[in-house]
Structure formats: structure tokens, C-alpha cells
Amino acid sequence: MAYPDDLLGEDEHVVIHKHPHWKMLFWPIVVFLITVAVGAYLAALVSSQSWHTYAWIAIGVVAAIVIIWVVLGPLIRWRTTHFVITTHRVMMRFGVLTRTGIDIPMSRINSVQFRHGLLDRLVGAGTLIIESASDEPLEFDDIPNVERVHSLLYREINDDPNDDFHPGHTRSER
């Protein structure tokens, strides 16, 4: 899914657009499966009772609340969270009812780091840490293919021909 072009500036292009890694949906999926299994077991358990209809309604309501709260909430948050690198900035957009955005201009980025532990390496995710000129470092968790994203971002930062430092070139060559 491409990032909307009308939100980009002139001569700005999307380099990479990602949602958080699917690992953030692991526990909601486990809860969904457990809820369905427990609900089916309880429904079968009370099916021979005379009041089984009321029990089924209660089981269905509790299961629906759990699924909406613990499963659909994280799924919608995952789907509406965007990590975007353009030719001019790094953007993070998240939120469902209240949208929040973070923009970091490429010219303000001092350093880019990534961190991923053993589990993150197994599933192909990690944390991207961006240090800008004036703020504390920002950490973006659950970035898929974090090493590739790190490399692309580093390349975008250093490919700017207008910056003060361009390896192998002097000011007169530009």
C-alpha cells in the first residue's frame, strides 16, 4: 500500500513504507484461538441444560468483548500504524481515533542505529533508533527488516549532495 502522494512535498518520494512487524499480533492471535476454544468448550458443556440459550448468549457476549478488546484493537492499531521513509524525512503515523504523527527531516538526523535480540532476529524485526539534532533519540519498535531499513535510511541521509560531508568529494567538485 503506497503512502498517499498528496501528503508529500514537491520532489519528495517514498523510499520505504512499512507497518509494524507481524510479531505484535502474535499474542492477540493466541488469545483469539484460546477464546474460541474455551467458548466452544463451555457451549458444549451447557448444551444439555434447560437454560443453555442464556448461557450461549452470555458466552458469546464475553467472547465478543474479549475478541474486540484484545484482538481487533491491536489488529486495527497495527494496520493504521505507518513507518515511512521519504527522500526528505522519516515519518511515523499511528492511532485510530486520534492520529499522531512524528516527522524528522533528513537534514536533522545525526545518527541511525538498530537493535534486535535473538527473537527479533529470528522473525526479522527490530528497533530503529534515530538521533536527531535537538531531541532525545527516538526508538521505533517492531520495524520489519530493520537492518535493510537502517541501510536505506543511512543511504538517504548520506546521498544528499547539498550536505556538508560527502565522502570522496570536496566542495569544489560539487
Side-chain angles (χ1 to χ4, degrees), residues 35-49 51-53 55-57 59-60:
T35 302
V36 169
V38 168
Y41 174 74
L42 291 175
L45 196 64
V46 299
S47 65
S48 62
Q49 304 297 323
W51 43 268
H52 70 275
T53 304
W56 286 350
I57 292 171
I59 292 168

Side-chain angles (χ1 to χ4, degrees), residues 9 21 31 36 56 69 75 80 88 101 104 109 111 125 135 140 152 157 161 164-166 169 173:
H21 195 270
V31 168
V36 169
W56 286 350
W69 191 266
L75 180 63
T80 60
H88 297 306
I104 306 170
I109 296 176
S111 68
D135 298 327
F140 300 98
L152 284 171
I157 293 167
D164 291 337
F165 177 74
H166 214 64
H169 298 286
E173 291 178 311

Side-chain angles (χ1 to χ4, degrees), residues 169-174:
H169 298 286
T170 63
R171 280 206 179 272
S172 61
E173 291 178 311
R174 287 191 254 154

Side-chain angles (χ1 to χ4, degrees), residues 89-93 101-105 138:
R89 57 189 164 153
V90 174
M91 299 184 288
M92 181 81 161
R93 301 286 188 267
I102 299 169
D103 287 16
I104 306 170
L138 293 172

Side-chain angles (χ1 to χ4, degrees), residues 34-164:
I34 291 171
T35 302
V36 169
V38 168
Y41 174 74
L42 291 175
L45 196 64
V46 299
S47 65
S48 62
Q49 304 297 323
S50 61
W51 43 268
H52 70 275
T53 304
Y54 301 112
W56 286 350
I57 292 171
I59 292 168
V61 167
V62 170
I65 290 170
V66 168
I67 288 171
I68 289 170
W69 191 266
V70 180
V71 178
L72 288 181
L75 180 63
I76 292 170
R77 274 191 299 280
W78 173 80
R79 187 70 181 123
T80 60
T81 299
H82 301 272
F83 180 79
V84 181
I85 298 175
T86 72
T87 52
H88 297 306
R89 57 189 164 153
V90 174
M91 299 184 288
M92 181 81 161
R93 301 286 188 267
F94 53 92
V96 178
L97 299 176
T98 303
R99 297 285 292 164
T100 303
I102 299 169
D103 287 16
I104 306 170
M106 290 291 183
S107 61
R108 304 277 314 247
I109 296 176
N110 289 339
S111 68
V112 181
Q113 303 172 34
F114 71 90
R115 176 179 63 235
H116 54 175
L118 181 61
L119 179 62
D120 284 337
R121 287 175 36 203
L122 288 174
V123 298
T127 300
L128 188 68
I129 304 158
I130 299 174
E131 185 177 339
S132 65
S134 63
D135 298 327
E136 292 291 320
L138 293 172
E139 294 190 9
F140 300 98
D141 296 322
D142 297 327
I143 302 294
N145 301 315
V146 71
E147 288 185 59
R148 182 174 176 273
V149 172
H150 171 265
S151 296
L152 284 171
L153 179 56
Y154 185 79
R155 196 172 315 134
E156 282 300 316
I157 293 167
N158 290 316
D159 278 350
D160 183 6
N162 298 321
D163 64 6
D164 291 337

